[in-house]
Amino acid sequence: MGRIGILGAGLAGLAAATKLAEAGENVTVFEARNRPGGRVWSETLDTPKGSYVIERGAEFVLDGYTSMRRLLSQFGLSLVDTGMSYYVREPGDTTGITCDDIIRTGREALELASGSGLQGTAEELLAKLPDEPELVDALRARIEISTAVSASEVTARSLQHIASFEPKPSWRVAGGNQRLPDAMAAALGSAVRYGETVRAVENIRDGGVLVTTDTDTSVFDTVVVALPLAVIRDSQLNLPTTEARDAALKHVLQGHAAKLHLPLETQPATSAVMSVEGRYWTWTATDESGAVAPVLNAFMGSPSAITRASLKQRPAEWVAKARALRTDLAIPQDAAALTTVWSEDQLAGGAYAAHAPGVTAAGTALLEKPVGDVFWAGEYSEPEFVGLMEGAIRSGERAAGRVMQRLETKSGNSDSERSKA
């Protein structure tokens, strides 16, 4: 049995810890927060119709989430169809531009990108479109909101997945996405140590890893670093690395996003409306009761949008603009808004990641290549589901598989040395 340290109790860290614990390994999970889940964070919002679960972090379960669905089944959890599509958003502050126009132009852009091997930035791709500037900007807004970075930085490949234009369904975990990390952490029991901030990780010359937290120092056979991208880039956290890993990280972009939740006086129909100017979208969705929750949800993406909105200095302005955008909804005048700005969360440093041009399969593989006995996991390293809950889970399970291979190799070498003796 190996002694394994897991840094971070987000979905990546919990996926790694779950797989290793099920294999009989001795795991210890260090989590700086007082809850599991990381950027998966469910809470309740009081409305005139009662309290409803909202997602302050990762929200939509999308097509292709096979690993997440397997874990949900394993822990007895179910999904709820939101009744709307994450991929379809009607522009609410443009004249003469419809959702169908954006979808058509997006598909044209994807066809152009496919013809060029999906090279370059999304902005370079947009410059090739023959459509009127207003429509191109609406498409630009759609890309920047979804990827949470500037179109001038993100790869054109983003149109294939996170900024896709196919009207596929979307789901949430019944009772809140938080239920999955809660269930995984509960199964691990006392192996999860909350309020433990890691300060340094050091490979030991003869094998093993030294982990230093604010309160303790521990030695492990191997360690899985499953921390957010902004955290592993923090120079104050001493992590082992290589020149090749650092070079690969240069092709990974830190996304920045914020969420807003407003109570409604009445239960609305499902909807999805985007603000091109504000670079955010709003939606109302069905919950596990089978009815549409009386909550207006909003998501703003890209650093420039958040800076323009001055969310930290003037949070009420976003509420006012959301009211103006969604005049079809009954938002109480004294509505207590709940705003979450992930860039201000010191334990996250931002929202999810995106890839820049130049990223390759070999490069993303380097992001997960162990450095000594230190292994890596996170949604930022996932080649297909980058930035998504599914990507975090897949990456964590891959890390667990690599750890078990390393432990088997070490065990085999030890047996061989004993037999020679």
Side-chain angles (χ1 to χ4, degrees):
M1 176 186 293
R3 189 159 184 255
I4 304 152
I6 311 287
L7 311 189
L11 283 182
L14 290 173
T18 298
K19 186 170 182 177
L20 289 164
E22 289 173 349
E25 306 295 349
N26 180 7
V27 300
T28 299
V29 183
F30 296 94
E31 172 52 53
R33 301 181 192 273
N34 60 6
R35 62 169 178 84
R39 286 163 290 171
V40 175
W41 183 20
S42 306
E43 283 199 346
T44 57
L45 182 74
D46 291 334
T47 80
K49 293 290 185 177
S51 294
Y52 288 81
V53 175
I54 53 96
E55 305 293 346
R56 301 189 71 168
E59 181 145 354
F60 294 100
V61 177
L62 304 175
D63 190 50
Y65 277 34
T66 54
S67 299
M68 186 170 181
R69 286 176 179 269
R70 171 174 41 78
L71 284 175
L72 290 170
S73 177
Q74 176 180 336
F75 288 98
L77 301 173
S78 59
L79 289 174
V80 174
D81 192 321
T82 62
M84 39 75 70
S85 177
Y86 165 87
Y87 302 102
V88 179
R89 307 166 191 178
E90 195 70 42
D93 56 357
T94 59
T95 302
I97 297 175
T98 67
C99 180
D100 287 341
D101 294 329
I102 298 173
I103 290 174
R104 172 180 52 78
T105 306
R107 287 173 176 168
E108 289 174 3
L110 184 56
E111 187 175 342
L112 275 174
S114 300
S116 62
L118 294 168
Q119 299 300 311
T121 67
E123 187 61 41
E124 290 169 342
L125 180 63
L126 294 174
K128 298 178 182 178
L129 293 173
D131 303 274
E132 59 271 23
E134 293 79 10
L135 178 53
V136 173
D137 190 49
L139 177 57
R140 181 182 293 109
R142 172 69 174 79
I143 294 169
E144 292 185 339
I145 295 168
S146 295
T147 61
V149 296
S150 168
S152 63
E153 295 180 292
V154 73
T155 176
R157 289 180 181 273
S158 63
L159 276 77
Q160 280 188 312
H161 207 303
I162 197 169
S164 173
F165 300 93
E166 297 303 319
K168 299 176 182 178
S170 47
W171 302 264
R172 283 175 56 195
V173 178
N177 293 344
Q178 182 81 47
R179 293 188 68 193
L180 178 57
D182 281 352
M184 297 171 77
L188 292 165
S190 60
V192 184
R193 294 168 54 174
Y194 297 106
E196 292 273 6
T197 301
V198 174
R199 297 303 180 187
V201 179
E202 181 182 356
N203 278 301
I204 301 172
R205 177 175 295 181
D206 296 329
V209 184
L210 193 68
V211 174
T212 302
T213 70
D214 282 338
T215 60
D216 197 9
T217 298
S218 307
V219 177
F220 297 95
D221 295 309
T222 60
V223 162
V224 177
V225 178
L227 300 171
L229 176 65
V231 176
I232 66 171
R233 280 178 166 162
D234 186 346
S235 59
Q236 295 183 6
L237 177 59
N238 184 17
L239 294 173
T241 188
T242 64
E243 288 185 4
R245 175 177 170 78
D246 290 342
L249 275 171
K250 291 180 180 179
H251 296 292
V252 184
L253 306 169
Q254 176 62 66
H256 292 279
K259 297 191 79 172
L260 170 69
H261 298 90
L262 283 167
L264 302 177
E265 292 180 339
T266 59
Q267 287 183 306
T270 57
S271 64
V273 178
M274 176 177 71
S275 169
V276 173
E277 180 184 3
R279 295 303 198 254
Y280 66 89
W281 73 295
T282 65
W283 66 93
T284 51
T286 303
D287 67 9
E288 67 271 20
S289 71
V292 180
V295 176
L296 175 64
N297 312 278
F299 178 98
M300 181 181 291
S302 80
S304 59
I306 292 172
T307 299
R308 288 196 306 271
S310 299
L311 296 184
K312 187 174 182 180
Q313 296 82 10
R314 302 187 296 275
E317 286 191 10
W318 192 9
V319 176
K321 289 181 178 180
R323 285 180 182 276
L325 182 73
R326 299 305 307 268
T327 55
D328 58 312
L329 300 176
I331 304 174
Q333 289 301 316
D334 59 348
L338 185 59
T339 306
T340 310
V341 185
W342 281 100
S343 307
E344 296 177 6
D345 187 312
Q346 294 183 350
L347 298 178
Y352 44 80
H355 286 158
V359 70
T360 62
T364 54
L366 274 173
L367 296 175
E368 293 184 346
K369 185 177 181 180
V371 179
D373 286 319
V374 176
F375 293 73
W376 308 86
E379 45 80 18
Y380 66 90
S381 67
E382 165 64 23
E384 182 181 0
F385 290 91
V386 61
L388 302 173
M389 290 185 285
E390 178 70 9
I393 293 169
R394 291 189 181 196
S395 179
E397 291 183 339
R398 284 196 299 271
R402 293 186 178 107
V403 166
M404 287 189 284
Q405 289 178 350
R406 174 67 61 85
L407 294 175
E408 289 173 4
T409 300
K410 284 186 175 183
S411 176
N413 290 340
S414 297
D415 292 343
S416 177
E417 289 173 5
R418 282 194 293 269
S419 66
K420 289 178 181 179

